[in-house]
Amino acid sequence: MAPKRPKGAGAFPKADVTPAPNPSGSQPLYAALDLGTNSCRMLIARPDGASFKVVDSFSKSVQLGAGLEASGRLSRSGMTRTIKALRVCQSKLKQHKVTHARLVATEACRRAKNARDFIRLVRRETGLSLEIIPPKEEARLAVISCAPLVGRKTEQLLVVDIGGGSTELVWLDISGVPKRERRKSIMGINASFDAAMSDYPEAKVVDWISVPLGVATLREQFDDVEDDAARFALMSWHFEEHLADFSPYDSEQAREGFQIIGTSGTVTTVAASHLGLRRYDRNKVDGLAMSSDEIDVVIRKYLALGPQGRRSDPRIGKDRHALIMSGAAILQALLRVWPTDRLSVADRGLREGLLYAQMNAHGVLEDGPE
Protein backbone atom coordinates (compact mmCIF):
# COMPACT_ATOMS: atom_id res chain seq x y z
CA MET A 1 0.00 0.00 0.00
CA ALA A 2 1.40 3.39 -0.95
CA PRO A 3 2.00 6.21 1.54
CA LYS A 4 -1.37 7.78 2.37
CA ARG A 5 -2.07 11.17 0.83
CA PRO A 6 -4.92 13.58 1.46
CA LYS A 7 -8.01 12.90 -0.61
CA GLY A 8 -7.79 14.76 -3.92
CA ALA A 9 -4.25 15.96 -3.34
CA GLY A 10 -2.65 13.85 -6.07
CA ALA A 11 1.08 13.39 -6.43
CA PHE A 12 1.86 17.01 -7.27
CA PRO A 13 -0.75 19.43 -5.90
CA LYS A 14 -0.64 23.05 -7.00
CA ALA A 15 1.76 25.18 -5.03
CA ASP A 16 -0.88 27.77 -4.18
CA VAL A 17 -3.08 25.23 -2.35
CA THR A 18 -2.47 25.79 1.37
CA PRO A 19 -3.74 23.03 3.68
CA ALA A 20 -4.51 23.70 7.34
CA PRO A 21 -1.54 23.75 9.71
CA ASN A 22 -0.71 20.76 11.85
CA PRO A 23 -3.13 20.64 14.80
CA SER A 24 -1.49 20.87 18.22
CA GLY A 25 -1.06 17.67 20.13
CA SER A 26 -0.65 15.44 17.06
CA GLN A 27 2.52 13.60 16.08
CA PRO A 28 5.51 15.73 15.00
CA LEU A 29 5.83 16.54 11.33
CA TYR A 30 8.71 15.49 9.09
CA ALA A 31 9.82 17.13 5.86
CA ALA A 32 11.90 15.93 2.92
CA LEU A 33 13.13 18.25 0.16
CA ASP A 34 14.77 16.98 -3.03
CA LEU A 35 16.51 19.58 -5.19
CA GLY A 36 17.47 17.85 -8.42
CA THR A 37 18.73 18.87 -11.83
CA ASN A 38 15.25 19.73 -13.07
CA SER A 39 12.88 19.94 -10.13
CA CYS A 40 12.49 21.15 -6.59
CA ARG A 41 10.13 18.87 -4.66
CA MET A 42 9.11 18.62 -1.05
CA LEU A 43 6.84 16.48 1.13
CA ILE A 44 5.65 17.22 4.66
CA ALA A 45 4.21 14.21 6.46
CA ARG A 46 3.42 12.63 9.82
CA PRO A 47 3.98 8.99 10.83
CA ASP A 48 0.94 6.78 10.31
CA GLY A 49 1.36 3.16 11.31
CA ALA A 50 4.01 1.48 9.18
CA SER A 51 3.88 4.37 6.70
CA PHE A 52 3.15 8.09 6.76
CA LYS A 53 0.39 10.49 5.79
CA VAL A 54 1.27 13.46 3.60
CA VAL A 55 0.15 16.79 5.03
CA ASP A 56 1.46 19.08 2.30
CA SER A 57 3.63 18.88 -0.79
CA PHE A 58 5.31 21.06 -3.37
CA SER A 59 6.77 20.45 -6.81
CA LYS A 60 8.21 22.94 -9.27
CA SER A 61 10.30 22.63 -12.41
CA VAL A 62 13.30 24.92 -11.81
CA GLN A 63 15.83 23.57 -14.36
CA LEU A 64 18.71 24.27 -12.00
CA GLY A 65 21.05 22.22 -14.19
CA ALA A 66 20.20 23.92 -17.49
CA GLY A 67 23.48 24.59 -19.35
CA LEU A 68 25.56 22.77 -16.74
CA GLU A 69 26.81 20.19 -19.26
CA ALA A 70 28.46 22.92 -21.34
CA SER A 71 29.60 25.42 -18.71
CA GLY A 72 30.20 23.30 -15.61
CA ARG A 73 28.37 25.97 -13.59
CA LEU A 74 24.87 26.66 -12.33
CA SER A 75 23.41 29.54 -14.33
CA ARG A 76 22.18 32.75 -12.76
CA SER A 77 18.68 32.19 -14.16
CA GLY A 78 18.57 28.60 -12.86
CA MET A 79 19.62 29.71 -9.38
CA THR A 80 17.04 32.52 -9.39
CA ARG A 81 14.22 30.11 -10.32
CA THR A 82 15.36 27.68 -7.65
CA ILE A 83 15.56 30.24 -4.86
CA LYS A 84 12.06 31.42 -5.72
CA ALA A 85 10.80 27.84 -5.33
CA LEU A 86 12.78 27.34 -2.11
CA ARG A 87 11.12 30.41 -0.60
CA VAL A 88 7.76 28.67 -1.06
CA CYS A 89 9.19 25.57 0.66
CA GLN A 90 10.53 27.65 3.54
CA SER A 91 7.10 29.24 3.99
CA LYS A 92 5.43 25.82 4.17
CA LEU A 93 7.97 24.51 6.67
CA LYS A 94 7.33 27.51 8.90
CA GLN A 95 3.54 27.36 8.48
CA HIS A 96 3.38 23.69 9.52
CA LYS A 97 5.95 24.09 12.32
CA VAL A 98 7.97 21.14 11.02
CA THR A 99 10.25 19.71 13.70
CA HIS A 100 12.32 17.23 11.64
CA ALA A 101 13.56 17.96 8.13
CA ARG A 102 16.22 16.83 5.71
CA LEU A 103 16.80 19.06 2.68
CA VAL A 104 19.09 17.59 0.03
CA ALA A 105 20.55 18.50 -3.34
CA THR A 106 21.79 15.95 -5.86
CA GLU A 107 23.63 15.67 -9.18
CA ALA A 108 23.53 19.27 -10.43
CA CYS A 109 25.03 20.54 -7.18
CA ARG A 110 27.49 17.64 -7.04
CA ARG A 111 28.91 18.62 -10.43
CA ALA A 112 28.68 22.42 -10.51
CA LYS A 113 31.86 24.38 -9.83
CA ASN A 114 29.86 27.10 -8.09
CA ALA A 115 27.67 24.76 -6.03
CA ARG A 116 29.09 25.86 -2.68
CA ASP A 117 28.45 29.51 -3.54
CA PHE A 118 24.87 28.54 -4.45
CA ILE A 119 24.36 26.70 -1.14
CA ARG A 120 25.53 29.81 0.74
CA LEU A 121 23.21 31.98 -1.37
CA VAL A 122 20.26 29.72 -0.56
CA ARG A 123 21.06 29.97 3.14
CA ARG A 124 21.27 33.74 2.97
CA GLU A 125 18.11 34.23 0.88
CA THR A 126 15.82 31.58 2.41
CA GLY A 127 17.33 30.44 5.69
CA LEU A 128 17.37 26.84 4.42
CA SER A 129 20.46 24.65 4.81
CA LEU A 130 20.82 22.32 1.83
CA GLU A 131 22.92 19.17 2.07
CA ILE A 132 24.65 17.92 -1.08
CA ILE A 133 24.40 14.15 -0.77
CA PRO A 134 26.75 11.67 -2.52
CA PRO A 135 25.41 9.25 -5.16
CA LYS A 136 25.56 6.29 -2.76
CA GLU A 137 23.23 8.00 -0.29
CA GLU A 138 20.86 8.95 -3.11
CA ALA A 139 20.79 5.31 -4.24
CA ARG A 140 20.21 4.04 -0.68
CA LEU A 141 17.26 6.38 -0.15
CA ALA A 142 15.70 5.30 -3.46
CA VAL A 143 15.93 1.67 -2.32
CA ILE A 144 14.33 2.47 1.04
CA SER A 145 11.42 4.29 -0.62
CA CYS A 146 10.65 1.26 -2.79
CA ALA A 147 10.79 -1.40 -0.05
CA PRO A 148 6.98 -1.72 0.20
CA LEU A 149 6.72 -2.62 -3.51
CA VAL A 150 8.92 -5.72 -3.38
CA GLY A 151 7.00 -8.80 -4.55
CA ARG A 152 6.63 -11.93 -2.44
CA LYS A 153 8.21 -14.10 -5.17
CA THR A 154 11.16 -11.77 -5.76
CA GLU A 155 14.64 -13.13 -5.09
CA GLN A 156 16.76 -10.73 -7.18
CA LEU A 157 15.81 -7.04 -7.14
CA LEU A 158 17.06 -4.12 -9.24
CA VAL A 159 16.04 -0.64 -8.08
CA VAL A 160 16.48 2.08 -10.71
CA ASP A 161 16.17 5.80 -10.03
CA ILE A 162 16.28 7.82 -13.28
CA GLY A 163 16.97 11.42 -12.34
CA GLY A 164 17.61 14.58 -14.29
CA GLY A 165 21.40 14.47 -14.01
CA SER A 166 22.19 10.89 -13.02
CA THR A 167 20.74 7.39 -12.79
CA GLU A 168 21.27 5.20 -9.73
CA LEU A 169 21.06 1.39 -9.91
CA VAL A 170 21.15 -0.93 -6.90
CA TRP A 171 21.03 -4.73 -7.22
CA LEU A 172 19.89 -6.67 -4.15
CA ASP A 173 19.83 -10.38 -3.42
CA ILE A 174 16.94 -11.04 -1.03
CA SER A 175 16.68 -14.78 -1.63
CA GLY A 176 17.83 -15.53 1.91
CA VAL A 177 15.44 -13.12 3.65
CA PRO A 178 12.11 -14.50 4.95
CA LYS A 179 9.20 -12.92 3.09
CA ARG A 180 7.78 -11.35 6.24
CA GLU A 181 11.13 -9.66 6.99
CA ARG A 182 11.97 -8.28 3.55
CA ARG A 183 10.51 -4.81 3.93
CA LYS A 184 12.20 -4.32 7.30
CA SER A 185 15.50 -5.67 6.00
CA ILE A 186 15.56 -3.34 2.98
CA MET A 187 14.50 -0.29 5.00
CA GLY A 188 17.30 -1.04 7.46
CA ILE A 189 20.07 -0.80 4.86
CA ASN A 190 22.49 1.84 6.12
CA ALA A 191 24.88 4.27 4.47
CA SER A 192 27.53 1.61 3.89
CA PHE A 193 24.93 -0.54 2.10
CA ASP A 194 24.91 -3.17 4.83
CA ALA A 195 21.66 -4.12 6.55
CA ALA A 196 21.52 -2.30 9.87
CA MET A 197 19.84 -5.12 11.80
CA SER A 198 21.54 -8.44 12.38
CA ASP A 199 18.90 -10.57 14.11
CA TYR A 200 17.63 -11.97 10.78
CA PRO A 201 19.05 -12.65 7.29
CA GLU A 202 20.07 -9.49 5.49
CA ALA A 203 19.20 -8.04 2.11
CA LYS A 204 22.55 -8.19 0.33
CA VAL A 205 23.64 -5.38 -1.98
CA VAL A 206 25.32 -7.23 -4.84
CA ASP A 207 26.46 -4.01 -6.50
CA TRP A 208 25.41 -0.42 -7.08
CA ILE A 209 26.34 2.26 -9.58
CA SER A 210 25.61 5.92 -10.24
CA VAL A 211 25.69 6.65 -13.97
CA PRO A 212 26.29 10.38 -14.62
CA LEU A 213 23.51 10.42 -17.20
CA GLY A 214 19.91 11.39 -16.49
CA VAL A 215 17.06 12.59 -18.67
CA ALA A 216 18.48 16.12 -18.94
CA THR A 217 22.20 15.39 -19.23
CA LEU A 218 21.71 12.57 -21.74
CA ARG A 219 19.46 14.74 -23.91
CA GLU A 220 21.98 17.60 -23.85
CA GLN A 221 24.77 15.32 -25.09
CA PHE A 222 22.81 14.33 -28.20
CA ASP A 223 20.90 17.55 -28.80
CA ASP A 224 22.74 18.14 -32.08
CA VAL A 225 21.40 14.91 -33.67
CA GLU A 226 18.44 16.00 -35.79
CA ASP A 227 16.90 12.62 -36.64
CA ASP A 228 14.53 11.62 -33.83
CA ALA A 229 14.94 7.84 -34.13
CA ALA A 230 18.72 8.05 -34.57
CA ARG A 231 19.05 10.28 -31.52
CA PHE A 232 17.00 7.81 -29.45
CA ALA A 233 19.13 4.84 -30.54
CA LEU A 234 22.38 6.67 -29.85
CA MET A 235 21.21 7.72 -26.38
CA SER A 236 20.18 4.17 -25.49
CA TRP A 237 23.44 2.55 -26.59
CA HIS A 238 25.50 5.33 -24.99
CA PHE A 239 23.78 4.73 -21.67
CA GLU A 240 24.34 0.97 -21.90
CA GLU A 241 28.07 1.55 -22.35
CA HIS A 242 28.10 3.06 -18.86
CA LEU A 243 26.77 -0.18 -17.36
CA ALA A 244 29.92 -2.17 -18.12
CA ASP A 245 31.35 -1.62 -14.63
CA PHE A 246 28.14 -2.79 -12.95
CA SER A 247 28.90 -6.38 -11.89
CA PRO A 248 25.50 -7.92 -12.86
CA TYR A 249 25.91 -6.57 -16.42
CA ASP A 250 27.61 -9.72 -17.72
CA SER A 251 25.25 -12.13 -15.93
CA GLU A 252 22.08 -13.48 -17.53
CA GLN A 253 19.06 -13.10 -15.30
CA ALA A 254 16.02 -15.38 -15.47
CA ARG A 255 12.69 -13.56 -15.55
CA GLU A 256 11.30 -15.80 -12.82
CA GLY A 257 12.02 -14.35 -9.38
CA PHE A 258 13.50 -11.15 -10.85
CA GLN A 259 11.95 -7.74 -10.29
CA ILE A 260 12.90 -4.24 -11.38
CA ILE A 261 11.46 -1.29 -9.50
CA GLY A 262 11.69 1.95 -11.45
CA THR A 263 11.25 5.29 -9.73
CA SER A 264 11.18 8.37 -11.93
CA GLY A 265 8.94 10.62 -14.00
CA THR A 266 9.95 8.57 -17.03
CA VAL A 267 8.63 5.32 -15.57
CA THR A 268 5.38 6.82 -14.27
CA THR A 269 4.77 8.54 -17.63
CA VAL A 270 5.30 5.27 -19.53
CA ALA A 271 2.89 3.58 -17.13
CA ALA A 272 0.25 6.28 -17.64
CA SER A 273 0.60 5.90 -21.40
CA HIS A 274 0.32 2.11 -21.09
CA LEU A 275 -2.93 2.52 -19.15
CA GLY A 276 -4.22 5.14 -21.59
CA LEU A 277 -4.69 7.73 -18.83
CA ARG A 278 -5.50 11.18 -20.14
CA ARG A 279 -5.39 12.47 -16.58
CA TYR A 280 -2.66 11.20 -14.28
CA ASP A 281 -3.88 9.01 -11.42
CA ARG A 282 -1.25 8.05 -8.84
CA ASN A 283 -3.44 5.34 -7.36
CA LYS A 284 -3.46 3.51 -10.71
CA VAL A 285 0.22 4.02 -11.46
CA ASP A 286 2.10 3.46 -8.20
CA GLY A 287 2.79 -0.25 -7.83
CA LEU A 288 1.69 -1.16 -11.37
CA ALA A 289 3.63 -4.10 -12.83
CA MET A 290 4.61 -4.00 -16.50
CA SER A 291 6.59 -6.42 -18.66
CA SER A 292 9.51 -5.49 -20.90
CA ASP A 293 7.30 -6.22 -23.92
CA GLU A 294 4.55 -3.85 -22.74
CA ILE A 295 7.05 -1.06 -22.14
CA ASP A 296 8.58 -1.61 -25.60
CA VAL A 297 5.14 -1.08 -27.17
CA VAL A 298 4.79 2.29 -25.42
CA ILE A 299 8.28 3.43 -26.46
CA ARG A 300 7.61 2.47 -30.09
CA LYS A 301 4.42 4.57 -29.99
CA TYR A 302 6.42 7.52 -28.65
CA LEU A 303 8.84 7.21 -31.56
CA ALA A 304 5.99 6.98 -34.05
CA LEU A 305 4.46 10.18 -32.64
CA GLY A 306 7.61 12.20 -33.29
CA PRO A 307 8.51 15.42 -31.42
CA GLN A 308 5.33 17.27 -32.40
CA GLY A 309 3.05 14.37 -31.55
CA ARG A 310 4.67 13.87 -28.15
CA ARG A 311 4.33 17.56 -27.40
CA SER A 312 0.56 17.41 -27.85
CA ASP A 313 -0.02 14.02 -26.21
CA PRO A 314 -1.85 14.63 -22.89
CA ARG A 315 -0.56 11.35 -21.47
CA ILE A 316 3.01 12.66 -21.68
CA GLY A 317 2.33 16.20 -20.51
CA LYS A 318 3.83 19.53 -21.46
CA ASP A 319 6.49 19.38 -18.73
CA ARG A 320 7.71 15.92 -19.75
CA HIS A 321 7.62 15.80 -23.58
CA ALA A 322 11.13 17.23 -24.07
CA LEU A 323 12.71 14.67 -21.75
CA ILE A 324 10.61 11.54 -22.25
CA MET A 325 12.76 10.07 -25.05
CA SER A 326 16.04 10.35 -23.16
CA GLY A 327 14.34 8.69 -20.20
CA ALA A 328 12.86 6.03 -22.48
CA ALA A 329 16.33 5.43 -23.96
CA ILE A 330 17.68 4.70 -20.46
CA LEU A 331 14.73 2.42 -19.73
CA GLN A 332 15.13 0.56 -23.02
CA ALA A 333 18.84 -0.02 -22.36
CA LEU A 334 18.08 -1.54 -18.96
CA LEU A 335 15.38 -3.83 -20.32
CA ARG A 336 17.59 -4.86 -23.22
CA VAL A 337 20.11 -6.14 -20.70
CA TRP A 338 17.64 -7.49 -18.12
CA PRO A 339 14.23 -8.34 -19.65
CA THR A 340 11.57 -8.83 -16.99
CA ASP A 341 7.91 -9.69 -16.59
CA ARG A 342 7.74 -7.46 -13.54
CA LEU A 343 8.92 -3.88 -13.72
CA SER A 344 7.12 -2.26 -10.81
CA VAL A 345 6.32 1.42 -11.23
CA ALA A 346 7.10 3.56 -8.19
CA ASP A 347 5.54 6.99 -7.89
CA ARG A 348 7.87 7.57 -5.00
CA GLY A 349 11.57 8.22 -4.68
CA LEU A 350 14.11 10.32 -2.85
CA ARG A 351 11.58 12.33 -0.81
CA GLU A 352 9.80 9.23 0.42
CA GLY A 353 13.14 7.60 1.18
CA LEU A 354 14.17 10.65 3.22
CA LEU A 355 10.93 10.48 5.20
CA TYR A 356 11.13 6.73 5.83
CA ALA A 357 14.79 7.00 6.88
CA GLN A 358 14.11 9.80 9.36
CA MET A 359 11.06 8.10 10.85
CA ASN A 360 12.77 4.72 10.98
CA ALA A 361 15.75 6.25 12.80
CA HIS A 362 13.41 7.87 15.35
CA GLY A 363 11.46 4.65 15.89
CA VAL A 364 8.08 6.19 15.05
CA LEU A 365 7.08 3.64 12.38
CA GLU A 366 5.17 0.56 13.41
CA ASP A 367 6.26 -2.89 12.31
CA GLY A 368 4.21 -4.72 9.71
CA PRO A 369 3.01 -4.13 6.17
CA GLU A 370 1.81 -0.73 4.97
Side-chain angles (χ1 to χ4, degrees), residues 132-182:
I132 303 175
I133 60 172
K136 192 171 189 177
E137 175 68 355
E138 185 174 359
R140 181 184 78 95
L141 292 167
V143 170
I144 290 174
S145 75
C146 294
L149 297 180
V150 177
R152 291 183 61 81
K153 296 181 179 180
T154 300
E155 295 189 347
Q156 301 295 319
L157 173 68
L158 174 62
V159 177
V160 180
D161 181 11
I162 305 173
S166 65
T167 299
E168 279 66 47
L169 289 82
V170 183
W171 193 293
L172 296 100
D173 179 352
I174 57 174
S175 59
V177 183
K179 292 180 173 60
R180 66 182 180 277
E181 301 284 3
R182 286 180 175 178

Side-chain angles (χ1 to χ4, degrees), residues 215-237:
V215 293
T217 47
L218 184 59
R219 178 176 176 269
E220 278 192 39
Q221 288 194 20
F222 291 89
D223 206 33
D224 59 340
V225 180
E226 295 184 3
D227 184 82
D228 190 49
R231 181 169 58 249
F232 173 78
L234 288 168
M235 289 190 297
S236 186
W237 286 107

Side-chain angles (χ1 to χ4, degrees), residues 32-142:
L33 186 147
D34 168 18
L35 177 60
T37 303
N38 285 313
S39 302
C40 175
R41 299 182 292 180
M42 184 177 72
L43 287 178
I44 298 175
R46 67 167 55 92
D48 185 24
S51 183
F52 55 79
K53 183 174 182 179
V54 173
V55 173
D56 201 355
S57 61
F58 174 81
S59 179
K60 184 71 175 177
S61 174
V62 294
Q63 298 178 41
L64 177 62
L68 177 61
E69 193 71 21
S71 68
R73 300 177 63 84
L74 302 175
S75 69
R76 185 179 299 274
S77 58
M79 291 190 290
T80 299
R81 288 190 297 268
T82 302
I83 288 174
K84 184 177 179 181
L86 289 172
R87 286 197 181 106
V88 177
C89 295
Q90 190 275 339
S91 176
K92 288 178 177 289
L93 291 169
K94 183 177 180 180
Q95 172 201 348
H96 291 288
K97 300 179 180 178
V98 173
T99 52
H100 306 286
R102 194 171 178 196
L103 320 175
V104 306
T106 56
E107 185 68 9
C109 288
R110 286 196 290 260
R111 296 175 59 187
K113 298 173 184 176
N114 58 340
R116 296 296 174 185
D117 293 336
F118 170 66
I119 297 298
R120 286 192 288 269
L121 180 63
V122 168
R123 175 71 176 176
R124 186 169 68 247
E125 295 292 328
T126 69
L128 300 179
S129 297
L130 290 177
E131 170 192 359
I132 303 175
I133 60 172
K136 192 171 189 177
E137 175 68 355
E138 185 174 359
R140 181 184 78 95
L141 292 167

